[in-house]
Structure formats: structure tokens, C-alpha cells
Amino acid sequence: MKIIDAKVVVTSPGRNFVTLRLTTDEGVTGLGDATLNGRELAVVSYLDDHVAPLLLGRDPHRIEDTWQYLYRGAYWRRGPVTMAAIAAVDTALWDIKAKVAGLPLYQLLGGASRERVRTYGHANGRDLPELLDSVRARLAEGYPAVRIQSGVPGLKAVYGVHGTSVDGSPVLHQQARPLVEDWDTDAYLRHTPAVFEAVRAEFGPELPLLHDAHHRLTPVQAARLAKDLEPYRPFWLEDCTPAENQEGLRLVRRHSTTPLAIGEVFNTLHDYQTLITEQLIDYVRSAVTHFGGVTPLRRLFDFAAQYQIKSAVHGPEDISPVGMAAAVHLDLAIHNFGIQEYSGHTPLTEEVFPHAYTFADGHLHPGEEPGLGVEFDEELAAAHPYEAAYLPVNRLQDGSIHDW
Ligand code: GCO
Ligand code: MG
């Protein structure tokens, strides 16, 4: 069998998604997600200009060899653009292999280790009453665990929580210039334990509560927050520091038993080396889409398992249903599964990418269709072309840029 076509499509059914479709001479097709939020077109070019020409004529069954060819062969290894492009190829090849085998992908990964995949949803509020309502809404939707994010008194716009930028412009899904948000770490550190206290008081001790610090703290600030949250038993504290400084996590660990989750911006196993071997974290957060595909993510999970570290695949709305399906197949198959982030997609996105995976009672299942179990309606996709979009930027009160 040979690859005869590699087509990259960028569509915006509510937000941008980059999709690779590989076609073989036997008519079998495979899909991969290459969406890099805010930098989508860089990956489109990487795929169109530098990867697609190399794939034509290759045997789609040689997944490992193709991965090594693209990763080692480029000389310029790693980085989000490269690894999102390689991820799309790897995922599409697994889709093809599983379709040819007539099996859902999870069967090729060792079969099901569990009946279904536990998720967590997002609750956001500009203030505590709004946050409590949002938690109630997630519980009503069936989510068994909830990530809580709240506005901070004194700050005008906090990521994911507010409806307007500090300059008054409305928050839209697609934003042609980055929104400006503001930040004050001391105010955040004072407020966040009170947020947990209020949510625990309302919903009791059992509900798993997660929180994302979005890489904004220094190690000593992160240690203090982790320690202050301990009485409320968080399920995890996510991205507490910018983890390029892996050693910084030693300090956090020394001071607290709050579980830590890191890795959504990582793109290779090397980014995790110290964090895993020194057991400085409890959950690895990488997505198939940003980590080079199913092949290396499976390796990461197996490596993490040796240190009793679990999976928690990144699953915001900017992972397309193709990337989400790949995650759910892995989640069902691996032994050291922890939890899956799941925000769902807009109804239009669901129409562009009809899929076999299901969400019921707060749990996902990949379904039994051969391959990933995702289709791609290219005609509908074409009716919703790319729109320039950026993530917000974050400024301190003196006007300087802060960590995202
Ligand atoms: C998460 C993430 C998202 C990211 C987004 C960036 O935990 O889901 O932090 O909220 O900010 O995926 O593109
Ligand atoms: Mg996050």
C-alpha cells in the first residue's frame, strides 16, 4: 500500500482547526489533528511545504519508520510546530492501520483496560456566586470532576473567566489581535484558597476539584499556593510554574503534598525527564496533537507508569475531535490512566467532524468504528474558512508582560 495524497485543511467552525487527510492507493484514508492554537498557519506550511511531498509513495503501515524519518531526518528536532505536524502524520497513519485491520484503534494499543474514561469539565466565574453556578451546571451535565477558575478581586480580566479585555473589547472565540488581560500574583495567591473554601463548603469533601495556574508562579509562590490549598484536598494543581525550569518543581514538592499536573505545552519526552525520574509531578498533561502523535504519547505514558505517574491528556476546545478521539483510544487502553479533560465542541464543529466517541454520564468511550472513528466533512469545513485568532496576553500592573 502507498500514500498517494496528503491534504491539509484549515477550517474555523467556531475556532480554527488544522486537519491532515492521508489517502492511500487502496482508497483508505486517515485523519490527523495539527491544531496549534494561535499559530495554526505555521503548521499548515510545515506540513504542505516540507512533509506532504516526503510522504507520497511511502508505505502507510511503516508508522515507526515514518515517525523517525520526520523527527530525526529534519535535523531540527522538537518544538510545537514540528511536533504538531509529525503528530498529524502519526495519528493519520494509526487511523489507516486500524481501518485496514477493521478494528477500533484502542484494540491495536492493547485493548481496553477499562470500561469508560473519566473526565473533568471546566467551571469558571467572574466571582464566587458565578463560579458556584458554573460548578452546579457541570455537575448537572454529569461531570464527575470539575476544574475551578475564578476572577480575582482587583483584576479586570482573568484568562477564561471574563467577558471583556482590560481595554473593554469583548472576548470572542476568534480574536484578530491578542486580548490584553491583567495580572497580580499576590492578589491571586490571597484569593485562591478562599475560592476552594467556598466550593468545598457548597459541594462537600468528595467532589474532585482541579485548578490551573497557567504557568504564572515562581517556584516559591507555587509552593505557597500548593501548601495553602492542601486543607481543601485538590485533585491537582496544574501548571503552577513555567516548567522549562524543571528543577523548580523540587521546591514545590518539598513543601506540599498537593498533587501536581504539568505538560500541555511540552512536545517531547525530554521535557519531562527530570519531572518524571525525580517524581516531581503526579500527572502528565500532553495531548496527542502537540506531542508528535499516538506513538510518542504511548511511550510517555509507559515511562511515567514506572514512577506511578498517571495520564491526564490535555482536552480543551482547541484539540479537534480528531485529536480528542486519538486521546480517548489511548485513555481506554493504557493502564496508568488518570483523568481526561473534556470541554466538548460547538455543534458546528461536531457536524464538521462526525465521530464515534461518546460522552455520557461524565465519561467518554471511543466507540467501535474501525480506526479513530472520526469523519471529516470537507465541504462543510470549506464553508467556514480560517480566521486569524490569538490567545490573550497578560500584563502586570506596571504594564510589563507576565508569563502566560
Ligand atoms: C487547559 C489549558 C487551556 C489552554 C489552551 C491554550 O488546561 O485546558 O490550559 O485552557 O489555555 O488550550 O490553547
Ligand atoms: Mg491547562
Side-chain angles (χ1 to χ4, degrees), residues 22-283:
L22 297 181
T23 305
T24 69
D25 56 350
E26 294 180 18
V28 186
T29 61
L31 296 176
D33 178 24
T35 307
L36 189 60
N37 195 8
R39 295 292 184 273
E40 296 87 355
L41 300 185
V43 192
V44 173
S45 161
Y46 194 104
L47 281 167
D48 269 340
D49 298 332
H50 302 293
V51 172
L54 305 181
L55 294 177
L56 302 183
R58 290 185 68 85
D59 177 356
H61 279 303
R62 297 184 64 181
I63 299 177
E64 180 69 29
D65 184 64
T66 302
W67 195 93
Q68 301 295 347
Y69 176 67
L70 295 176
Y71 179 78
R72 292 174 201 279
Y75 184 68
W76 310 107
R77 293 184 191 182
R78 307 166 64 178
V81 175
T82 299
M83 299 313 287
I86 296 177
V89 176
D90 182 83
T91 306
L93 293 179
W94 276 108
D95 192 16
I96 290 172
K97 192 183 278 294
K99 280 180 183 167
V100 171
L103 293 170
L105 175 60
Y106 76 82
Q107 293 290 10
L108 271 57
L109 301 172
S113 282
R114 57 190 49 73
E115 304 290 320
R116 57 187 192 156
V117 168
R118 173 174 67 153
T119 69
Y120 70 90
H122 293 183
N124 305 310
R126 281 170 294 186
D127 54 22
L128 288 177
E130 200 174 279
L131 175 63
L132 297 180
D133 282 349
S134 183
V135 174
R136 249 173 244 120
R138 294 296 87 72
L139 295 179
E141 287 160 10
Y143 279 102
V146 183
R147 187 187 86 168
I148 52 172
Q149 306 293 128
S150 151
V152 175
L155 294 185
K156 294 187 203 74
V158 173
Y159 178 62
V161 167
H162 285 81
T164 52
S165 175
V166 289
D167 63 12
S169 54
V171 175
L172 305 172
H173 254 323
Q174 305 286 29
Q175 203 65 43
R177 288 282 179 281
L179 281 170
V180 182
E181 298 183 335
D182 55 347
W183 188 247
D184 175 341
T185 303
D186 285 336
Y188 165 78
L189 290 178
R190 276 195 303 274
H191 186 58
T192 305
V195 172
F196 270 79
E197 191 176 351
V199 176
R200 277 280 172 245
E202 183 76 12
F203 298 99
E206 283 170 23
L207 177 63
L209 295 178
L210 300 78
H211 179 70
D212 193 342
H214 283 116
H215 328 264
R216 290 181 180 184
L217 309 177
T218 64
V220 76
Q221 291 167 340
R224 181 189 302 157
L225 180 62
K227 204 167 150 178
D228 288 351
L229 294 184
E230 256 175 34
Y232 311 107
R233 303 276 171 135
F235 183 92
W236 80 38
L237 173 60
E238 175 180 341
D239 286 337
C240 58
T241 64
E244 293 96 322
N245 174 12
Q246 295 190 32
E247 293 78 5
L249 270 297
R250 290 180 189 146
L251 191 90
V252 186
R253 227 16 170 191
R254 220 174 282 144
H255 289 280
S256 166
T257 56
T258 289
L260 302 174
I262 283 188
E264 68 184 47
V265 300
F266 291 177
N267 41 69
T268 70
L269 208 146
H270 308 287
D271 304 322
Y272 281 106
Q273 196 100 25
T274 303
L275 297 179
I276 291 179
T277 56
E278 294 190 22
Q279 303 178 62
L280 300 179
I281 55 172
D282 302 279
Y283 296 91

